[in-house]
Amino acid sequence: MKVFDYIIVGQGIAGTVLAFQLRLKGKRVFVIDKHRDDTSSKIAPGTYNPMVLKRFTPCWKVEDQLTPLYDFLDAFETSFNTSIHVPLKLWRKFTSIQEQNLWLEKSDHDRLMPFMNPSFISNPHEDLNADFGFGEVKKSGWVDFLKLISIFKKRLISEGCFLDEEFDYNSMTIKQRSLIYKSISAQKIIFCEGHRLTNNPFFNYLPLMRTKGELITVKLDGLNVEELIKSNITLLPLGNDVYKVGATFNWNDKNELCSVKARQELLDKLKELVNINPVVINQYAGLRPTVKDRRALLGSNPNHENIFVFNGLGTRGLLMSPYLALQLIEFMEKGVPLDPEVDIKRYKNEIPC
Ligand SMILES: Cc1cc2nc3c(=O)[nH]c(=O)nc-3n(C[C@H](O)[C@H](O)[C@H](O)COP(=O)(O)OP(=O)(O)OC[C@H]3O[C@@H](n4cnc5c(N)ncnc54)[C@H](O)[C@@H]3O)c2cc1C
């Protein structure tokens, strides 16, 4: 029997960040993840920014989240002697004079001042349509999710702490202070299964909604944009005039299949922004683990206090995961209460009798 402190099920961004943070604290962690190419974490562009750009408001608790994010990225890059993080200028396209005025007004607010450059940027790119120019958002960037996940997985495999399989809930024996899964014993288990939480008998009462999103990668010869551009789509430069364009939001489809409709929607929006004919290189689809009240899902099972969940990262998995992972660790290790806004106790009325 192999003995660990924690088993983590699911190695998307949630499981990766949590496992990395636990290992930094000296914990022995075993990860079980069924390989799939189309998970939310593997298809997401991996951008972050501190604002909600529709309304020019700060993201939820953003001031608490940026330091843990930067600390995590620094520690990860140091630990693996690699580079996964690229700070980027984010330019929000204005659609009217009214939006410019709102930008100016909001950039004077205390909470937004650190993130907003009050001056307008006139459009320097002749192939971009932006007559009213842009507003620049500071503290934005991009993280190579695929590299993050694959490097970490390789390390876990090399240390004999990784299993590529679908977790079989019936093969787990729950004891008072430990759990046994096949030949692995651990004190605690944490489920980080993204939208597949709906199959988990310990947590499927939680109201995970799942919102489908699609993206395309395109070649836009001669565009030469280096900023992250945000209009009614996001244009992420990947180098050599290749760009990731996304994303759609679909609350009805619950599958991970690419659709002609989403591709056309993205191309139509791209045409409004860029004057160059795109060559589509690829298309991706995934399901975001979204929650009814737009807050994450953290906590322990009501009947088994050594079984935990870390989920509901929604549209901002990158920004939120390091901050929330640290909070969950404090809860599991020291009993420090979770923020009631993310604690799954808020859904106690949904627990089946
Ligand atoms: C189109 C799109 C664009 C996005 N863009 C961004 C962005 O730019 N920035 C950002 O921060 N966020 C973005 N998001 C959101 C972000 O991708 C999610 O918040 C995040 O990936 C959720 O990560 P997760 O680890 O919870 O879930 P997942 O990524 O779904 O990972 C779960 C993992 O667990 C495994 N698994 C599940 N159940 C089991 C089981 N029972 N046994 C074994 N393995 C299991 C799965 O195979 C998977 O590997 C985007 C999402 C979409 C769909």
Short mmCIF file of all heavy atoms in Angstrom, two decimals, residues 331-351:
data_model
loop_
_atom_site.label_atom_id
_atom_site.label_comp_id
_atom_site.label_asym_id
_atom_site.label_seq_id
_atom_site.Cartn_x
_atom_site.Cartn_y
_atom_site.Cartn_z
N PHE A 331 -8.26 25.50 5.44
CA PHE A 331 -9.47 24.85 5.97
C PHE A 331 -9.19 23.38 6.29
O PHE A 331 -9.51 22.87 7.37
CB PHE A 331 -10.60 24.99 4.94
CG PHE A 331 -11.84 24.22 5.26
CD1 PHE A 331 -12.62 24.55 6.37
CD2 PHE A 331 -12.27 23.16 4.46
CE1 PHE A 331 -13.79 23.85 6.67
CE2 PHE A 331 -13.42 22.45 4.74
CZ PHE A 331 -14.18 22.80 5.85
N MET A 332 -8.52 22.69 5.35
CA MET A 332 -8.29 21.25 5.52
C MET A 332 -7.25 20.97 6.60
O MET A 332 -7.35 20.02 7.35
CB MET A 332 -7.83 20.63 4.19
CG MET A 332 -8.88 20.68 3.11
SD MET A 332 -8.41 19.81 1.57
CE MET A 332 -6.96 20.67 1.07
N GLU A 333 -6.24 21.82 6.67
CA GLU A 333 -5.12 21.57 7.58
C GLU A 333 -5.36 22.13 8.98
O GLU A 333 -4.95 21.55 9.97
CB GLU A 333 -3.83 22.20 7.01
CG GLU A 333 -3.28 21.47 5.80
CD GLU A 333 -2.65 20.13 6.18
OE1 GLU A 333 -1.84 20.10 7.11
OE2 GLU A 333 -3.00 19.11 5.55
N LYS A 334 -6.00 23.31 9.05
CA LYS A 334 -6.12 23.98 10.36
C LYS A 334 -7.55 24.28 10.78
O LYS A 334 -7.77 24.89 11.81
CB LYS A 334 -5.35 25.32 10.30
CG LYS A 334 -3.87 25.17 10.02
CD LYS A 334 -3.21 26.53 9.99
CE LYS A 334 -1.79 26.43 9.47
NZ LYS A 334 -1.31 27.69 8.92
N GLY A 335 -8.49 23.93 9.92
CA GLY A 335 -9.90 24.18 10.26
C GLY A 335 -10.29 25.64 10.16
O GLY A 335 -11.33 26.05 10.70
N VAL A 336 -9.48 26.47 9.49
CA VAL A 336 -9.84 27.89 9.32
C VAL A 336 -11.10 27.95 8.45
O VAL A 336 -11.12 27.39 7.35
CB VAL A 336 -8.69 28.68 8.63
CG1 VAL A 336 -9.09 30.13 8.39
CG2 VAL A 336 -7.41 28.58 9.45
N PRO A 337 -12.17 28.62 8.93
CA PRO A 337 -13.42 28.61 8.15
C PRO A 337 -13.24 29.18 6.75
O PRO A 337 -12.46 30.11 6.54
CB PRO A 337 -14.38 29.49 8.97
CG PRO A 337 -13.78 29.58 10.32
CD PRO A 337 -12.29 29.38 10.17
N LEU A 338 -13.98 28.62 5.80
CA LEU A 338 -13.95 29.12 4.42
C LEU A 338 -14.78 30.38 4.32
O LEU A 338 -15.71 30.59 5.10
CB LEU A 338 -14.55 28.06 3.49
CG LEU A 338 -13.74 26.78 3.32
CD1 LEU A 338 -14.60 25.66 2.72
CD2 LEU A 338 -12.53 27.04 2.42
N ASP A 339 -14.46 31.19 3.33
CA ASP A 339 -15.29 32.35 3.01
C ASP A 339 -16.70 31.83 2.71
O ASP A 339 -16.87 30.97 1.83
CB ASP A 339 -14.67 33.03 1.76
CG ASP A 339 -15.47 34.22 1.29
OD1 ASP A 339 -16.63 34.39 1.70
OD2 ASP A 339 -14.91 34.99 0.49
N PRO A 340 -17.73 32.29 3.45
CA PRO A 340 -19.09 31.76 3.22
C PRO A 340 -19.55 31.90 1.77
O PRO A 340 -20.39 31.12 1.32
CB PRO A 340 -19.96 32.62 4.14
CG PRO A 340 -19.03 33.26 5.12
CD PRO A 340 -17.67 33.33 4.49
N GLU A 341 -18.99 32.85 1.04
CA GLU A 341 -19.42 33.02 -0.37
C GLU A 341 -19.01 31.84 -1.25
O GLU A 341 -19.60 31.63 -2.31
CB GLU A 341 -18.82 34.30 -0.95
CG GLU A 341 -19.53 35.56 -0.50
CD GLU A 341 -19.12 36.75 -1.36
OE1 GLU A 341 -19.58 36.85 -2.50
OE2 GLU A 341 -18.31 37.56 -0.88
N VAL A 342 -17.94 31.12 -0.86
CA VAL A 342 -17.51 29.98 -1.68
C VAL A 342 -17.75 28.63 -0.98
O VAL A 342 -17.64 27.57 -1.60
CB VAL A 342 -16.01 30.08 -2.08
CG1 VAL A 342 -15.77 31.30 -2.95
CG2 VAL A 342 -15.07 30.10 -0.88
N ASP A 343 -18.06 28.68 0.32
CA ASP A 343 -18.27 27.45 1.09
C ASP A 343 -19.53 26.74 0.58
O ASP A 343 -20.59 27.36 0.48
CB ASP A 343 -18.43 27.85 2.57
CG ASP A 343 -18.38 26.65 3.49
OD1 ASP A 343 -18.70 25.53 3.05
OD2 ASP A 343 -18.01 26.84 4.67
N ILE A 344 -19.39 25.43 0.30
CA ILE A 344 -20.57 24.70 -0.23
C ILE A 344 -21.69 24.58 0.81
O ILE A 344 -22.79 24.17 0.47
CB ILE A 344 -20.19 23.30 -0.77
CG1 ILE A 344 -19.53 22.45 0.31
CG2 ILE A 344 -19.34 23.42 -2.01
CD1 ILE A 344 -19.38 20.99 -0.10
N LYS A 345 -21.41 24.98 2.05
CA LYS A 345 -22.49 24.94 3.06
C LYS A 345 -23.67 25.81 2.64
O LYS A 345 -24.78 25.64 3.12
CB LYS A 345 -21.95 25.45 4.40
CG LYS A 345 -21.20 24.40 5.18
CD LYS A 345 -20.92 24.89 6.57
CE LYS A 345 -20.00 23.94 7.30
NZ LYS A 345 -19.05 24.63 8.15
N ARG A 346 -23.38 26.78 1.73
CA ARG A 346 -24.50 27.65 1.30
C ARG A 346 -25.56 26.85 0.53
O ARG A 346 -26.66 27.35 0.33
CB ARG A 346 -23.97 28.82 0.48
CG ARG A 346 -23.43 28.49 -0.92
CD ARG A 346 -22.68 29.69 -1.46
NE ARG A 346 -22.27 29.61 -2.86
CZ ARG A 346 -21.20 28.97 -3.31
NH1 ARG A 346 -20.42 28.29 -2.46
NH2 ARG A 346 -20.88 29.00 -4.59
N TYR A 347 -25.20 25.64 0.12
CA TYR A 347 -26.16 24.81 -0.60
C TYR A 347 -26.65 23.64 0.25
O TYR A 347 -27.03 22.60 -0.28
CB TYR A 347 -25.54 24.30 -1.91
CG TYR A 347 -25.37 25.43 -2.92
CD1 TYR A 347 -24.11 25.79 -3.37
CD2 TYR A 347 -26.47 26.14 -3.37
CE1 TYR A 347 -23.95 26.83 -4.28
CE2 TYR A 347 -26.32 27.19 -4.27
CZ TYR A 347 -25.06 27.52 -4.73
OH TYR A 347 -24.92 28.56 -5.61
N LYS A 348 -26.65 23.81 1.58
CA LYS A 348 -27.03 22.68 2.44
C LYS A 348 -28.48 22.25 2.22
O LYS A 348 -28.83 21.09 2.42
CB LYS A 348 -26.73 22.97 3.91
CG LYS A 348 -27.40 24.15 4.54
CD LYS A 348 -27.02 24.22 6.02
CE LYS A 348 -27.76 25.28 6.76
NZ LYS A 348 -27.44 26.66 6.42
N ASN A 349 -29.31 23.20 1.77
CA ASN A 349 -30.72 22.82 1.53
C ASN A 349 -30.89 21.91 0.31
O ASN A 349 -31.96 21.34 0.10
CB ASN A 349 -31.59 24.07 1.34
CG ASN A 349 -31.68 24.85 2.63
OD1 ASN A 349 -31.45 24.30 3.71
ND2 ASN A 349 -32.00 26.14 2.52
N GLU A 350 -29.85 21.82 -0.50
CA GLU A 350 -29.91 20.98 -1.71
C GLU A 350 -29.49 19.52 -1.42
O GLU A 350 -29.63 18.66 -2.29
CB GLU A 350 -28.96 21.50 -2.80
CG GLU A 350 -29.03 22.99 -3.08
CD GLU A 350 -30.22 23.36 -3.96
OE1 GLU A 350 -30.60 22.51 -4.78
OE2 GLU A 350 -30.75 24.47 -3.78
N ILE A 351 -28.95 19.27 -0.20
CA ILE A 351 -28.45 17.92 0.11
C ILE A 351 -29.62 16.94 0.11
O ILE A 351 -30.63 17.19 0.80
CB ILE A 351 -27.74 17.89 1.48
CG1 ILE A 351 -26.56 18.87 1.48
CG2 ILE A 351 -27.28 16.49 1.85
CD1 ILE A 351 -25.96 19.15 2.85
#
